[in-house]
């Protein structure tokens, strides 16, 4: 009887019903849910768009800071190289003079050898490692003629000065090497920061990039609003100053006609600064559209401090190369009293600068990938403004 039993079918039963397909589907769903659960933390680890934007901005700012260090190292290296070149030229000239002095002493030695005269041993003197010790030991100078004494004095002087200059040149070359190492380090830092920023941006989707562009548009609109607000404030202050000056002039005239009272006249406005500022701004405007390139000072491209330096140079004013030196190259003025031509500095570490053109606007070289342009001084928010400096 048992041999006639049918074998139990494989598969699972649900409520007495055999459902192998449903079981497989269930297992697949469990696996997918498990994968989703495992993938969830990875999705949570992805930075938000705002975090990416902040990180990119921070990297660009760090690159600007490193650029300033690079600019300073480059300027220092150039000065040291020039100093070394001057020293090497000096050493070469002194070596030539030393050789001439040695030849003159050699002529005395040759004459002594030809005549067999019991004259001072000039040849031995020339071969001595330390001529001064030779003097002390042999009292050579006491037995020399006038011409010989002059020749020996000249030789000793030339030798001493040449040795000093050679030592100075050696030390300067070592310093130059250190500066060149610092220059390479600063350059590598800039490149590393920029590469990191580009890598972050490359990972954004087209949708994320579009959202970033929308955020930037909103920021520019807010910056323009703040610039208009500052322009109205400055216009109101200027109007008040003009009215006060007119009243003072009127009061001075009345006092003068009555023969009583005293007043002080308002000093005339400094037109020389405005003239220089006009030249600086004309130059800056002519650079609009040229690319930002870190470390560049023109004429085809600029970084931020390279642009301001070149602009004021066109007006006959020499500014230092870096932002943290330019910020000390003039008189600090309140933002409300900023005039065209003034330099506007940004961030606590003073890593960016633009040239004010009035009405809350400036011309600046923003960052890599951008071009020299006009922009609100509030482009990165009011809190980003560090100070305003009048350079001349």
């Amino acid at each position: 009887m048992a041999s006639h039993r049918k074998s139990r079918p494989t598969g699972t039963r649900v409520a007495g019903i055999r459902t192998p397909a449903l079981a497989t589907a269930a297992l697949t769903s469990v696996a997918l849910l498990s994968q989703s659960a495992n993938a969830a933390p990875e999705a949570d680890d992805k930075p938000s768009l705002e975090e990416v934007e902040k990180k990119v901005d921070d990297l660009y700012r760090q690159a600007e800071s490193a650029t300033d260090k690079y600019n300073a190292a480059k300027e220092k290296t150039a000065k040291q190289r020039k100093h070394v070149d001057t020293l090497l030229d000096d050493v070469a000239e002194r070596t030539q003079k030393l050789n001439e002095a040695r030849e003159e002493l050699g002529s005395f030695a040759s004459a002594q050898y030809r005549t067999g005269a019991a004259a001072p041993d000039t040849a031995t003197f020339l071969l001595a490692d330390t001529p001064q010790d030779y003097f002390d030991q042999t009292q050579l100078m006491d037995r020399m003629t006038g011409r010989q004494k002059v020749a020996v004095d000249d030789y000793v002087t030339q030798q001493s000065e040449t040795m000093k200059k050679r030592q100075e040149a050696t030390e300067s070359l070592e310093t130059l090497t250190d500066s060149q190492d610092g220059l390479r380090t600063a350059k590598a830092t800039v490149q590393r920061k920029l590469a990191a920023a580009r890598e972050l941006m490359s990972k954004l989707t087209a949708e994320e990039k579009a959202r970033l562009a929308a955020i930037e548009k909103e920021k520019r609109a807010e910056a323009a609003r703040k610039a208009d607000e500052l322009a109205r404030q400055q216009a109101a202050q200027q109007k008040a100053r003009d009215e006060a000056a007119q009243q003072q002039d009127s009061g001075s005239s009345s006092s003068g006609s009555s023969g009583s009272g005293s007043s002080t006249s308002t000093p005339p406005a400094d037109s020389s600064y405005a003239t220089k500022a006009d030249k600086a701004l004309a130059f800056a405007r002519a650079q609009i559209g040229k690319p930002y390139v870190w470390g560049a000072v023109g004429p085809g491209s600029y970084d931020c401090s390279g642009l301001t330096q070149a602009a004021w140079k066109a007006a006959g004013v020499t500014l230092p190369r870096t932002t943290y030196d330019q910020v000390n190259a003039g008189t600090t003025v309140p933002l409300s009293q900023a005039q065209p031509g003034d330099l506007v500095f940004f961030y606590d570490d003073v890593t960016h600068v633009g040239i004010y053109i009035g009405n809350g606007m400036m011309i600046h070289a923003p960052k890599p990938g951008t071009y020299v342009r006009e922009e609100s001084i509030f482009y990165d928010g009011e809190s980003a403004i560090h100070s305003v400096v009048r350079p001349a």
Side-chain angles (χ1 to χ4, degrees):
M1 296 294 292
S3 61
H4 296 288
R5 290 180 183 175
K6 294 181 180 180
S7 61
R8 181 172 301 200
T10 59
T12 59
R13 290 177 178 267
V14 178
I17 303 175
R18 195 164 56 245
T19 56
L22 287 175
T24 303
L27 289 172
T28 303
S29 299
V30 170
L32 289 174
L33 287 172
S34 177
Q35 291 175 1
S36 299
N38 292 333
E42 294 181 7
D44 292 339
D45 288 343
K46 183 178 180 179
S48 67
L49 192 59
E50 290 74 15
E51 289 173 335
V52 171
E53 181 189 30
K54 184 179 184 305
K55 181 64 175 176
V56 170
D57 287 344
D58 285 346
L59 284 168
Y60 277 132
R61 280 191 54 199
Q62 291 169 22
E64 275 199 304
S65 178
T67 296
D68 259 345
K69 291 186 173 94
Y70 169 83
N71 291 337
K74 185 177 180 180
E75 189 175 46
K76 181 180 179 181
T77 300
K79 289 179 179 178
Q80 288 175 336
R81 183 178 290 111
K82 185 177 180 180
H83 180 60
V84 167
D85 288 343
T86 300
L87 284 173
L88 292 176
D89 289 342
D90 193 10
V91 167
E93 183 178 350
R94 292 182 183 279
T95 300
Q96 177 63 30
K97 291 180 178 178
L98 180 63
N99 291 336
E100 291 172 356
R102 182 182 285 110
E103 289 175 3
E104 185 173 2
L105 285 175
S107 66
F108 288 126
S110 297
Q112 292 164 6
Y113 179 79
R114 288 195 302 270
T115 60
D121 190 357
T122 310
T124 304
F125 163 74
L126 285 171
L127 295 174
D129 292 332
T130 55
Q132 189 61 53
D133 289 345
Y134 187 77
F135 286 154
D136 297 339
Q137 294 171 9
T138 64
Q139 298 178 336
L140 178 63
M141 294 296 285
D142 292 339
R143 300 183 288 122
M144 280 188 169
T145 66
R147 283 185 59 198
Q148 288 176 320
K149 289 180 179 180
V150 170
V152 168
D153 280 339
D154 184 42
Y155 177 82
V156 172
T157 300
Q158 293 298 338
Q159 186 185 55
S160 175
E161 292 180 352
T162 301
M163 290 177 65
K164 288 179 182 178
K165 287 297 179 181
R166 282 176 179 168
Q167 180 62 31
E168 186 178 352
T170 299
E171 293 172 355
S172 295
L173 279 170
E174 291 173 355
T175 303
L176 176 59
T177 300
D178 291 340
S179 296
Q180 289 172 329
D181 290 341
L183 185 62
R184 283 189 289 270
T185 299
K187 182 176 181 179
T189 301
V190 176
Q191 293 172 329
R192 188 169 62 253
K193 300 296 182 183
L194 294 180
R198 286 192 295 267
E199 183 181 2
L200 277 175
M201 291 299 294
S202 69
K203 293 180 179 178
L204 296 179
T205 65
E207 181 182 355
E208 288 173 329
K209 290 179 180 178
R211 286 169 56 196
L212 268 184
I215 293 173
E216 280 297 314
K217 186 176 180 180
E218 292 176 3
K219 287 174 63 176
R220 287 196 297 270
E222 175 62 16
R225 187 189 68 77
K226 294 288 292 182
D228 290 340
E229 182 182 322
L230 177 61
R232 288 192 296 271
Q233 179 185 356
Q234 290 178 331
Q237 289 178 343
Q238 185 60 49
K239 182 179 179 181
R241 285 193 293 268
D242 292 343
E243 290 175 351
Q246 290 176 358
Q247 291 176 359
Q248 187 172 8
D249 289 342
S250 177
S252 298
S253 299
S254 300
S255 299
S257 60
S258 63
S260 62
S262 62
S263 64
T264 57
S265 61
T266 302
D270 183 6
S271 60
S272 64
Y273 179 75
T275 300
K276 294 175 182 176
D278 286 344
K279 292 180 180 179
L281 288 173
F283 179 92
R285 286 192 177 95
Q287 313 313 309
I288 290 176
K290 293 183 178 180
Y292 175 105
V293 174
W294 65 272
V297 293
S301 57
Y302 297 89
D303 62 17
C304 65
S305 57
L307 176 65
T308 52
Q309 183 189 49
W312 271 103
K313 183 179 180 180
V317 177
T318 300
L319 292 180
R321 176 64 183 94
T322 63
T323 54
Y324 47 78
D325 284 331
Q326 288 184 8
V327 75
N328 297 315
T331 303
T332 302
V333 298
L335 177 60
S336 61
Q337 297 178 22
Q339 295 181 12
D342 291 350
L343 301 180
V344 185
F345 294 89
F346 297 87
Y347 311 116
D348 293 338
D349 52 357
V350 198
T351 54
H352 189 66
V353 62
I355 183 167
Y356 192 62
I357 61 177
N359 296 324
M361 301 292 288
M362 67 177 173
I363 297 173
H364 71 147
K367 60 185 179 182
T370 63
Y371 299 83
V372 176
R373 66 192 183 200
E374 288 188 13
E375 193 163 28
S376 168
I377 62 173
F378 301 101
Y379 79 105
D380 203 20
E382 187 171 3
S383 62
I385 298 175
H386 176 273
S387 58
V388 179
V389 172
R390 192 156 297 155

